[in-house]
Amino acid sequence: MCEIGDRLGFHERNGGNASYHLLPEEAKSAKKRLAKKKTGPWVDIGTSVPELGGDLFLVTGSGKFMRNVAYDPEVNICLAELNAEGTQYRIRWGLSKGGRPTSEFPTHLMNHEVKTRLTGGAYRVIYHAHPPQLIALTFVLPLRDRDFTRALWNTMTECPVIFPEGIGVVKWMVPGGRDIAVETSKLMAKYNNVIWAHHGLFCAADSFDNAMGQMETIEKAAHIYNIVHSMVPKPRQGITSEGYLAIARDFHLEISKRFL
Ligand code: 13P
Ligand code: ZN
């Protein structure tokens, strides 16, 4: 996922980050295998995720380049273990030349917490990238869920199939802290994809394929929107509300009717 995202131009320098919430059986086996290894010190997360206490996360390192993850995972990512209260982490493996988990760890963990609660643990992956066409669109459209959902759904018939719940938008905020994590995780209760204005996109999914698939689809939709609106100020035609309802019926989807 890190490599493909880089190839698609989503990860300039250290832009973007990713985390995977280990399944209970994976965490158990990892803890057993790492039992005799030296662990890092406990470090404050900067927020609290009590529902994830004791869990393990594979997470990219802050300042590390996504293009280097597959090439040298031990240096660029780590396995972080949370304390029982979900307020601190310690490194159990990885970041072998030093470092710490992504500066967006608070957002990743708060998103994992809400998704774990709402999907019964089915969602395991949080992926953040800086896709250029979508970022460009955040300078043009009103920063509202409805405007982005309508604009992106309308670009490709597959869009309402891939994100029938719509898409959330967080206005510009300082990244890397608890405040933006709280705003993002509130929207993750309603959506699987949340835009950060003038910054990028967060995707939550049950697999790496789906996280990447959502990122790619949303960026492609933004690209089509930008092409069409560079050609004409007002497109001649598009998908109708009846069309969306017909898609929902035939694909057995729960489409957010408030966006029709
Ligand atoms: P990190 O290198 O800390 O992951 O930061 C990259 C980024 O995209 C911040 O939003
Ligand atoms: Zn970012």
Side-chain angles (χ1 to χ4, degrees):
M1 187 180 74
C2 299
E3 213 175 351
I4 294 169
D6 183 62
R7 214 183 297 145
L8 292 172
F10 298 170
H11 298 301
E12 77 292 342
R13 203 177 182 277
N14 64 309
N17 31 71
S19 64
Y20 170 69
H21 183 190
L22 270 71
L23 289 164
E25 60 269 26
E26 292 169 336
K28 203 171 151 202
S29 125
K31 280 181 183 172
K32 210 162 127 192
R33 286 174 59 185
L34 296 169
K36 292 204 178 79
K37 290 254 196 301
K38 202 170 153 273
T39 64
W42 288 109
V43 180
D44 287 341
I45 297 167
T47 190
S48 71
V49 283
E51 293 167 53
L52 302 178
D55 288 4
L56 288 184
F57 294 84
L58 205 55
V59 57
T60 53
S62 186
K64 303 295 183 194
F65 294 17
M66 295 292 258
R67 72 192 54 145
N68 292 336
V69 168
Y71 160 71
D72 199 351
E74 198 163 359
V75 168
N76 293 291
I77 66 176
C78 72
L79 195 57
E81 177 184 16
L82 304 195
N83 65 354
E85 297 76 31
T87 53
Q88 294 184 315
Y89 72 85
R90 62 178 179 180
I91 294 174
R92 298 296 306 260
W93 171 89
L95 288 174
S96 59
K97 291 189 181 163
R100 58 185 176 86
T102 171
S103 56
E104 308 299 358
F105 206 27
T107 296
H108 280 258
L109 290 175
M110 291 191 83
N111 288 347
H112 277 297
E113 188 176 51
V114 71
K115 285 300 182 192
T116 301
R117 186 190 313 141
L118 295 175
T119 69
Y123 275 38
R124 316 301 298 187
V125 180
I126 303 289
Y127 176 40
H128 168 59
H130 297 169
Q133 300 287 344
L134 184 70
I135 296 172
L137 206 47
T138 67
F139 292 89
V140 176
L141 288 182
L143 297 174
R144 287 193 299 252
D145 303 359
R146 181 183 173 78
D147 292 277
F148 272 83
T149 299
R150 288 297 307 229
L152 297 173
W153 272 2
N154 210 24
T155 59
M156 284 194 296
T157 301
E158 281 292 291
C159 285
V161 178
I162 290 160
F163 48 104
E165 71 288 348
I167 191 161
V169 184
V170 174
K171 64 177 192 324
W172 186 87
M173 291 180 78
V174 175
R178 183 173 186 275
D179 292 350
I180 198 165
V182 169
E183 291 309 310
T184 311
S185 60
K186 269 190 219 159
L187 290 173
M188 277 294 181
K190 285 193 269 186
Y191 307 108
N192 292 326
N193 305 285
V194 175
I195 298 165
W196 279 4
H198 324 317
H199 184 142
L201 177 65
F202 266 88
C203 301
D206 55 353
S207 67
F208 289 100
D209 275 350
N210 282 333
M212 186 74 236
Q214 288 157 217
M215 186 67 72
E216 260 186 300
T217 306
I218 291 163
E219 171 63 354
K220 187 168 187 177
H223 195 173
I224 294 169
Y225 184 98
N226 296 345
I227 294 170
V228 170
H229 288 263
S230 311
M231 295 158 106
V232 285
K234 197 173 178 309
R236 189 182 292 267
Q237 57 259 325
I239 307 167
T240 60
S241 289
E242 294 72 44
Y244 292 123
L245 289 170
I247 292 171
R249 185 193 60 225
D250 286 10
F251 285 72
H252 310 291
L253 298 168
E254 289 228 11
I255 198 153
S256 282
K257 297 217 176 46
R258 64 198 172 95
F259 294 135
L260 296 182

